[in-house]
């Protein structure tokens, strides 16, 4: 995909008219709040430079987000290229990940080496709550970088171009992050139904039934232990998985079914796909060459109870899982009060320390007022 390989995005400092102009251009900062997302049709297996083996569809979350302030300064060559602080503490491991990400972005943002960067980041969800944070973290960084491009080159002025590029860039940091730059529902990856789709960036779905626009996602935290196998290793293991080809085809076949369910408000079809996708993801982990299990005994206990509750009440209450042990319980907003009561009575006891995140389909990333000065108000304890 040559579209975003642009050697012209280099700053010519001699063109800056006055010293004030030059100073202004040499440092600045942006701040974005960007959400996590939950895939209903899962992306699992990749190739080339962060390209998906199959298309995926996700909902953007609202309560689970990362907020990142990125400050940049003209590079002096004396300092570290990137410093990264998470919740007020320097995080060298994440800085190293960002540096690798920036290395991969040189053809897209040739100006990237002109600056040094200080980043300050917080997550709305408690650290170690087992919520995948790379989608929200990487999309926030991608959005800040696109703002820097827009400021210096006058490009990406219209929103469509801005978010498409942000999605392309976020994908290079973490595949699922490509879907986090849009609110509502998002799809990513080529499939036969729509030739305009691409593996390089995600797009927002527009035809969504109101009951799915307002869908609730209650995240039941069963364990906050660090994942024993990373998503990168999991994608890698798909390369030798005997079920891989069948799985990729299954995901492709499901796309038109899910699109139609989302459009018409067909909760039955939606629920069947959501639950089967979650269990398939975990079955693929269990059946890979180096088998592993990320579910917790309480994940299974909760799944059983959700199914029982559905049988008892006929309510559209379904579950999904990401690459971890926590259960995402999905249901229409109209039954929220009843479902919360059910959770208090029957599910909370299976959550570690009673941890629950009350989430829903979200509005997407929001640019925040940049704070170039004091960060203490930004840092949570
Ligand atoms: O974005 P990655 O490389 O961390 O992969 C995440 C994959 C899943 O979260 C398991 C599924 C998905 O589509 O988000």
């Amino acid at each position: 995909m040559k579209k975003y390989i642009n050697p012209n995005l280099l700053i010519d400092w001699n063109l800056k008219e006055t010293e004030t102009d030059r100073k202004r251009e040499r440092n600045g900062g942006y701040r974005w709040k960007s959400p996590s997302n939950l895939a209903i049709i899962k992306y699992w297996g990749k190739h080339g430079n962060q390209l998906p083996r199959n298309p995926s569809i996700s909902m953007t979350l609202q309560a689970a987000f990362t907020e990142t302030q990125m400050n940049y300064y003209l590079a002096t060559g004396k300092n570290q290229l990137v410093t990264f602080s998470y919740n007020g503490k320097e995080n060298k491991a994440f800085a190293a990940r960002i540096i690798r990400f920036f290395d991969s972005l040189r053809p897209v943002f040739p100006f990237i080496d002109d600056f040094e960067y200080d980043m300050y980041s917080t997550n709305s969800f408690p650290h170690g709550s087992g919520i995948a944070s790379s989608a929200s973290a990487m999309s926030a960084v991608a959005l800040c970088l696109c703002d820097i491009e827009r400021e210096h080159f006058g490009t990406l002025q219209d929103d469509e171009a801005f978010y498409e590029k942000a999605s392309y860039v976020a994908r290079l940091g973490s595949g699922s992050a490509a879907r986090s730059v849009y609110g509502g529902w998002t799809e990513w990856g080529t499939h036969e139904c729509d030739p305009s789709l691409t593996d390089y960036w995600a797009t927002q779905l527009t035809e969504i039934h109101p009951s799915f626009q307002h869908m609730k996602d209650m995240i039941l935290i069963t364990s906050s232990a660090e994942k024993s196998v990373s998503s990168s290793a999991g994608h890698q293991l798909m390369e030798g998985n005997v079920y891989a080809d069948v799985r990729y085809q299954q995901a492709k076949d499901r796309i038109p079914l899910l699109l139609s369910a989302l459009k018409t408000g067909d909760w039955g079809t939606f629920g069947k796909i959501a639950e089967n996708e979650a269990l398939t993801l975990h079955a693929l982990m269990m059946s890979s060459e180096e088998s592993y299990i990320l579910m917790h005994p309480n994940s299974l206990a909760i799944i059983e109870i959700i199914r029982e509750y559905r049988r008892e009440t006929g309510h559209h209450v379904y579950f999904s899982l990401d690459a971890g042990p926590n259960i995402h319980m999905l249901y229409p907003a109209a039954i929220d009060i009843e479902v919360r009561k059910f959770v208090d009575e029957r599910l909370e006891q299976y959550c570690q320390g009673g941890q629950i995140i009350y989430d829903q389909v979200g509005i997407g990333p929001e640019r925040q007022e940049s704070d170039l000065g004091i960060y203490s108000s930004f840092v949570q304890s």
Side-chain angles (χ1 to χ4, degrees):
M1 171 56 59
K2 296 228 166 51
K3 182 171 180 183
Y4 288 120
I5 311 296
N6 187 351
N8 298 325
L9 295 180
L10 263 176
I11 298 168
D12 184 348
W13 298 104
N14 297 322
L15 288 182
K16 305 297 166 207
E17 304 235 309
T18 64
E19 189 52 34
T20 322
D21 261 3
R22 282 197 280 272
K23 259 196 198 133
R24 202 181 52 236
E25 300 270 344
R26 282 169 195 205
N27 55 64
Y30 286 100
R31 180 163 163 177
W32 277 88
K33 174 177 157 184
S34 192
S36 191
N37 69 75
L38 172 75
I40 300 302
I41 294 183
K42 309 287 183 185
Y43 145 65
W44 199 237
K46 62 179 173 180
H47 66 102
N49 194 6
Q50 296 276 93
L51 297 169
R53 288 279 185 203
N54 64 260
S56 55
I57 293 182
S58 63
M59 61 173 280
T60 296
L61 298 175
Q62 181 65 21
F65 62 83
T66 297
E67 191 166 329
T68 296
Q69 166 85 33
M70 181 191 287
N71 293 342
Y72 62 93
Y73 316 89
L74 189 68
T76 60
K78 288 188 203 133
N79 302 319
Q80 260 182 300
L81 182 62
V82 172
T83 61
F84 191 93
S85 112
Y86 174 70
N87 278 356
K89 286 203 190 95
E90 190 175 2
N91 186 325
K92 289 200 164 144
F94 207 79
R97 186 166 172 190
I98 297 281
I99 288 170
R100 284 197 301 279
F101 178 33
F102 280 15
D103 283 343
S104 74
L105 291 177
R106 218 158 268 130
V108 182
F109 294 130
F111 62 84
I112 205 139
D113 293 326
D114 277 339
F115 300 112
E116 288 155 10
Y117 306 83
D118 286 342
M119 297 184 207
Y120 304 82
S121 196
T122 56
N123 281 354
S124 64
F125 38 98
H127 182 64
S129 63
I131 305 297
S133 53
S134 63
S136 51
M138 291 303 184
S139 54
V141 170
L143 289 156
C144 290
L145 289 172
C146 286
D147 263 341
I148 298 179
E149 179 189 321
R150 173 148 68 178
E151 178 181 327
H152 284 85
F153 301 95
T155 47
L156 308 179
Q157 292 299 319
D158 74 274
D159 277 359
E160 207 181 317
F162 182 88
Y163 287 104
E164 183 185 288
K165 182 153 188 183
S167 175
Y168 175 95
V169 171
R171 189 198 93 239
L172 296 171
S174 170
S176 56
R179 298 185 311 242
S180 268
V181 307
Y182 299 107
W185 290 82
T186 304
E187 66 182 324
W188 169 43
T190 43
H191 65 85
E192 288 156 5
C193 325
D194 185 348
S196 72
L197 295 171
T198 158
D199 287 343
Y200 292 87
W201 57 80
T203 44
Q204 191 179 35
L205 290 169
T206 46
E207 290 187 283
I208 301 290
H209 189 274
S211 67
F212 285 116
Q213 285 170 23
H214 304 291
M215 185 176 83
K216 296 282 180 187
D217 176 4
M218 200 185 287
I219 312 172
L220 306 160
I221 311 295
T222 56
S223 166
S224 53
E226 280 287 313
K227 267 197 275 187
S228 56
V229 179
S230 69
S231 285
S232 310
H235 286 293
Q236 197 54 44
L237 282 168
M238 279 302 282
E239 291 307 298
N241 192 306
V242 293
Y243 300 111
D245 290 339
V246 190
R247 157 61 195 159
Y248 300 142
Q249 190 54 47
Q250 177 190 51
K252 285 174 197 158
D253 293 343
R254 281 179 168 162
I255 293 280
L257 302 177
L258 183 61
L259 286 175
S260 155
L262 290 173
K263 192 170 156 182
T264 58
D266 177 356
W267 278 84
T269 303
F270 168 84
K272 257 193 205 150
I273 294 175
E275 294 194 349
N276 193 281
E277 278 289 309
L279 296 176
T280 298
L281 171 70
H282 285 261
L284 289 165
M285 295 170 189
M286 292 183 216
S287 60
S288 57
E289 182 69 22
E290 264 170 66
S291 166
Y292 63 107
I293 299 176
L294 293 185
M295 273 199 256
H296 184 276
N298 285 357
S299 319
L300 283 177
I302 292 175
I303 286 172
E304 288 298 335
I305 297 169
I306 290 176
R307 286 183 161 170
E308 201 177 285
Y309 178 68
R310 192 163 70 229
R311 275 194 301 274
E312 283 165 11
T313 61
H315 284 331
H316 288 300
V317 177
Y318 301 96
F319 66 84
S320 181
L321 292 134
D322 215 330
N326 305 316
I327 302 290
H328 290 251
M329 198 167 69
L330 308 170
Y331 58 94
I335 55 170
D336 194 32
I337 292 171
E338 220 174 308
V339 171
R340 280 180 189 238
K341 193 160 165 269
F342 153 66
V343 169
D344 284 352
E345 285 167 7
R346 287 166 69 184
L347 294 183
E348 199 189 301
Q349 57 195 296
Y350 295 99
C351 300
Q352 190 180 49
Q355 270 191 96
I356 295 172
I357 297 173
Y358 299 92
D359 216 331
Q360 60 190 26
V361 174
I363 59 169
E366 293 168 277
R367 190 185 276 109
Q368 307 290 300
E369 201 178 321
S370 173
D371 180 353
L372 293 172
I374 303 193
Y375 304 105
S376 51
S377 62
F378 181 58
V379 170
Q380 291 166 2
S381 56

